[in-house]
Amino acid sequence: MADHEEDDLAMALRLSMEEHESPEPKRSKPGETSGAGGDTPMEEAPEVRNRRMVRETMAAAAEKRMAMLTNSAVIPLKSVENAKDLKIKGLESEVKDKGVNLVTGKGIGGLLGMTLSVVDANQLFSMIFGNSLSKDVLAQWSNQGIRFSDDPETSMGLVQHEGGPCGVLAAIQAFVFKYLLFSPEESGDVVPNISSSSNMRRGPSNEYVAAEMFSSLSEEKKKRALVRSMSEILFLCGNNKRAVIASLNIIEGELLESANGSEDEVIARALEGLSVESGFDLQKVLRINIWSSRSSALQKLEAMLPVFRSRMGALLFLISALLSRGLNNVQDDRDDPSLPLVTAPFGHASQEIVNLLLSGNAMANVFDGKIDLGGGMFVKGISTTVEVGFLTIMESLNYCKVGQYLKCPKWPIWVVGSESHYTVLFALDTKVQEENEFECRESQIRRAFDAQDQSGGGGFITVEGFHQVVKQMNINIPPAKIEHLCSTGFIVWSEFWQVLLDLDKSLGGVKDSTGSMGKKVFDLYHFNGIAKSISNGSQLVSENDSPIQRPRLTKLRVSVPPRWTPEEFMSDVPVGLGTNESAATEVSKPQHAPLVDCIRTRWARAVCNWEGDAPSIV
């Protein structure tokens, strides 16, 4: 009986909120009109009438008990499970000695959760959107779910239909690829024979896509990878101690269980007319749960997947990440906390959002560590190794410098930033980040040289130090060249390295008689989640001549010359498109696109080839 009372109370509270507190009425459906005082419309569709009658019946039953149950809607903080985890910096000044309003009705996966204070809700909303909110920007962020593409060729990717939340989707996508390709915990999640998955076929737009690469992935495996990715990101934001999961109080578990249609359809109907245009609007509908247990958080996220698939999904996940970090902590991370996290005028996710989701800190910069500006002022960058990394076209334009933490992540997966969009680049083989034989030799000799450098990083050593390096590295340099190098009393690295380039490997140098000199050839894949028009040859795909709308997955063949080769070394060298370079028969000249410039910030002077349309980072 108590459960029914609590359920009815939750429904009554929601209905009361909708009827008396909503600043704007819900959108009218076709065939419906609003009568004065809530009169029944002259004509109602059967399903509209049934829904209204169910709501009115439940509300009437609940209202009879609201008076005696009102006190149970406010529960002291100390009685909430895991209450110690509520002390999140930024949530109403660490929620000291304060009760938290709870909605006791059972929602998806458990309690609907706690409310934010009006102060916190206003701060959260202003932090995301600022004080001059554009209707178009709000629409972009209020109409983007976290859902996989329906297209078979890109079914492992999250699809985006409008600009704006791509930074959130791309970060989640990068972690999804991590779990699908390199899952260290469940071998069943790893695509079998992924390193040799090379079956490529021509897609509708004359591009190569990995048709067989993810074909073995079931919906369950994709769902598990998504849930684990979301959980990892939120705990990363919560300093690996907690995860805050945001939901909406207008979606009840009983509503889903009793209504006709799929969960997605029911939630979509429940969200009809919902408009969040201020912190006050947000405070009314937002509910949060805080978890210190990873297993419990995983269960909650899995239960809430229908909510995250809904049109509010991307925004709810961003809110979850911000609250997991703590609002004050987020502001402390940033260089200019007065600016909104969603950038004007087009509503793109800022670098702070992307860095928060990739590293757990909302820094505005992508370099390593921090820069001392003097006077006790610092500009903060990334301070730790990350699981998945970041590359940007802005570095190739000399607007920034991505540090090694983001450029060389644990797994070969990178979010790629352009001026207005975020996409994902990844490799199937972790060896793409490893040094080859010649690069290892260079690194070894350079470390030995630097160990003798007493100039404070000036790049030169004494004659005595030089002889120690030569002995330590087993380098056999002809006496005439040694005499020339030592003639000035100190040895400069550039001159020493040039001698090694001309010295055969058998003598301890790095000269390669084959001419390849350590060239690396490997494959990368680029995923752009935004659904764009894809032609299907001359065949019309619908009676309205509408092209297919789907994301794109493109394979790139990458050839990287060693750092010490002449600039013209790769200028006329074709690159094989096959997975086995020696067996490749199809070659073409190097191609260029903005994505290539991003790749070259990671692999200098890389040459790329692809089949069909150029990969797009916008």
Side-chain angles (χ1 to χ4, degrees):
M1 180 65 181
D3 288 343
H4 291 297
E5 291 176 346
E6 292 175 352
D7 297 344
D8 290 343
L9 173 62
M11 178 65 75
L13 291 174
R14 180 176 72 85
L15 293 174
S16 176
M17 183 179 297
E18 290 177 349
E19 293 173 1
H20 303 297
E21 297 179 3
S22 178
E24 292 192 15
K26 291 186 176 181
R27 289 195 303 263
S28 297
K29 300 177 184 177
E32 288 186 345
T33 58
S34 299
D39 293 339
T40 303
M42 296 297 295
E43 295 183 5
E44 285 184 324
E47 69 172 279
V48 174
R49 182 171 60 254
N50 290 339
R51 283 203 308 272
R52 179 180 55 77
M53 293 178 65
V54 169
R55 291 201 307 267
E56 291 176 353
T57 300
M58 295 183 68
E63 286 171 357
K64 295 178 180 179
R65 295 186 293 272
M66 283 185 68
M68 62 181 178
L69 291 178
T70 299
N71 292 335
S72 66
V74 179
I75 300 179
L77 177 61
K78 63 183 179 181
S79 68
V80 183
E81 184 180 1
N82 295 328
K84 63 181 182 297
D85 294 323
L86 296 180
K87 292 184 178 180
I88 303 176
K89 191 177 182 183
L91 287 179
E92 189 64 2
S93 300
E94 300 186 354
V95 205
K96 292 180 179 179
D97 302 320
K98 178 178 181 242
V100 179
N101 291 327
L102 294 181
V103 177
T104 57
K106 294 179 181 178
I108 299 177
L111 290 176
L112 284 175
M114 297 161 288
T115 62
L116 289 179
S117 70
V118 175
V119 172
D120 288 329
N122 286 331
Q123 181 187 4
L124 175 62
F125 190 87
S126 177
M127 181 185 299
I128 298 174
F129 295 112
N131 298 319
S132 56
L133 177 63
S134 162
K135 295 276 189 179
D136 292 337
V137 169
L138 182 62
Q140 291 173 0
W141 283 84
S142 300
N143 290 282
Q144 179 61 62
I146 302 173
R147 58 173 63 231
F148 287 103
S149 168
D150 293 328
D151 181 78
E153 294 177 347
T154 54
S155 62
M156 76 298 156
L158 303 176
V159 63
Q160 179 185 354
H161 295 287
E162 294 187 38
C166 53
V168 173
L169 296 180
I172 299 173
Q173 181 71 71
F175 279 90
V176 168
F177 282 145
K178 168 195 164 181
Y179 282 106
L180 291 179
L181 300 175
F182 310 111
S183 172
E185 299 176 15
E186 298 179 34
S187 59
D189 279 346
V190 180
V191 178
N193 300 321
I194 197 67
S195 61
S196 60
S197 296
S198 57
N199 296 323
M200 311 295 288
R201 66 184 176 88
R202 195 176 298 274
S205 63
N206 200 31
E207 67 186 0
Y208 272 97
V209 294
E212 305 297 331
M213 187 188 307
F214 298 99
S215 60
S216 63
L217 293 174
S218 65
E219 291 299 318
E220 180 63 26
K221 286 183 178 181
K222 291 190 296 183
K223 180 178 76 173
R224 188 160 60 247
L226 176 59
V227 169
R228 291 166 67 191
S229 299
M230 296 169 72
S231 175
E232 180 174 359
I233 292 172
L234 294 182
F235 272 100
L236 184 64
C237 296
N239 200 27
N240 292 317
K241 295 179 180 178
R242 60 175 175 264
V244 178
I245 302 176
S247 186
L248 301 171
N249 66 357
I250 62 174
I251 303 173
E252 291 85 5
E254 288 73 14
L255 174 64
L256 297 179
E257 294 170 2
S258 62
N260 296 324
S262 68
E263 288 182 334
D264 291 343
E265 293 172 345
V266 173
I267 291 177
R269 290 198 295 267
L271 294 179
E272 286 181 356
L274 175 65
S275 178
V276 179
E277 300 183 2
S278 67
F280 178 71
D281 294 342
L282 188 64
Q283 194 270 342
K284 288 193 305 179
V285 298
L286 187 67
R287 295 296 181 267
I288 62 171
N289 288 112
I290 304 173
W291 307 90
S292 60
S293 166
R294 290 180 182 266
S295 59
S296 298
L298 282 170
Q299 293 176 3
K300 176 68 174 179
L301 287 167
E302 183 173 358
M304 279 190 57
L305 278 183
V307 179
F308 284 113
R309 285 197 300 265
S310 77
R311 67 178 179 88
M312 297 294 290
L315 180 57
L316 283 175
F317 187 78
L318 174 59
I319 290 172
S320 300
L322 293 171
L323 293 178
S324 295
R325 176 63 178 150
L327 301 187
N328 288 345
N329 286 334
V330 170
Q331 295 296 69
D332 290 343
D333 290 339
R334 307 173 66 198
D335 290 342
D336 188 350
S338 66
L339 297 176
L341 291 170
V342 172
T343 62
F346 302 113
H348 302 129
S350 64
Q351 189 65 50
E352 290 103 319
I353 291 177
V354 175
N355 284 350
L356 173 67
L357 302 182
L358 297 184
S359 72
N361 295 281
M363 309 303 186
N365 307 293
V366 292
F367 51 74
D368 290 343
K370 59 184 179 181
I371 298 176
D372 188 349
L373 301 179
M377 297 181 62
F378 296 89
V379 180
K380 294 171 287 188
I382 305 300
S383 58
T384 185
T385 302
V386 295
E387 294 287 304
V388 298
F390 179 76
L391 302 174
T392 174
I393 190 68
M394 306 309 289
E395 181 173 4
S396 68
L397 300 174
N398 296 318
Y399 285 108
C400 67
K401 177 67 175 178
V402 179
Q404 292 300 106
Y405 286 135
L406 288 175
K407 195 169 286 184
C408 301
K410 181 177 180 180
W411 304 102
I413 307 169
W414 298 265
V415 172
V416 176
S418 70
E419 297 92 333
S420 59
H421 189 45
Y422 295 97
T423 54
V424 181
L425 183 74
F426 63 98
L428 308 183
D429 190 350
T430 57
K431 294 181 180 179
V432 300
Q433 297 207 92
E434 296 178 0
E435 292 182 327
N436 59 32
E437 174 189 357
F438 294 91
E439 291 170 328
C440 286
R441 181 63 175 168
E442 178 195 12
S443 297
Q444 291 171 355
I445 297 175
R446 185 63 198 244
R447 281 195 296 268
F449 184 93
D450 289 343
Q452 300 296 329
D453 187 351
Q454 302 299 317
S455 65
F460 59 88
I461 59 179
T462 64
V463 173
E464 181 182 359
F466 167 71
H467 286 294
Q468 292 185 18
V469 172
V470 169
K471 181 179 179 180
Q472 179 183 348
M473 293 288 100
N474 297 317
I475 302 172
N476 188 7
I477 301 177
K481 290 192 176 182
I482 290 181
E483 182 179 352
H484 174 73
L485 283 173
C486 299
S487 60
T488 60
F490 58 87
I491 292 84
V492 179
W493 167 256
S494 59
E495 295 179 356
F496 178 39
W497 183 244
Q498 189 59 51
V499 170
L500 295 175
L501 289 177
D502 296 332
L503 188 66
D504 193 83
K505 287 196 300 181
S506 62
L507 299 175
V510 295
K511 184 178 180 179
D512 183 9
S513 58
T514 65
S516 63
M517 297 188 70
K519 179 181 68 175
K520 294 193 292 188
V521 180
F522 53 88
D523 294 330
L524 293 176
Y525 294 85
H526 179 253
F527 178 76
N528 189 342
I530 196 163
K532 291 192 175 183
S533 299
I534 305 296
S535 61
N536 193 21
S538 59
Q539 182 180 359
L540 300 180
V541 296
S542 74
E543 60 183 8
N544 296 324
D545 299 344
S546 298
I548 298 173
Q549 296 282 329
R550 67 174 179 85
R552 288 186 57 195
L553 178 66
T554 305
K555 176 186 177 182
L556 298 95
R557 188 67 164 169
V558 182
S559 182
V560 184
R563 292 185 292 270
W564 55 82
T565 55
E567 188 68 35
E568 64 273 11
F569 177 75
M570 296 294 294
S571 59
D572 296 317
V573 178
V575 182
L577 285 172
T579 56
N580 186 340
E581 185 186 12
S582 62
T585 57
E586 183 179 2
V587 297
S588 63
K589 289 189 175 182
Q591 296 167 285
H592 185 266
L595 177 61
V596 177
D597 293 328
C598 293
I599 292 174
R600 286 175 176 169
T601 65
R602 175 61 180 83
W603 293 278
R605 294 183 291 161
V607 173
C608 300
N609 290 94
W610 54 86
E611 189 69 18
D613 295 340
S616 173
I617 60 174
V618 297

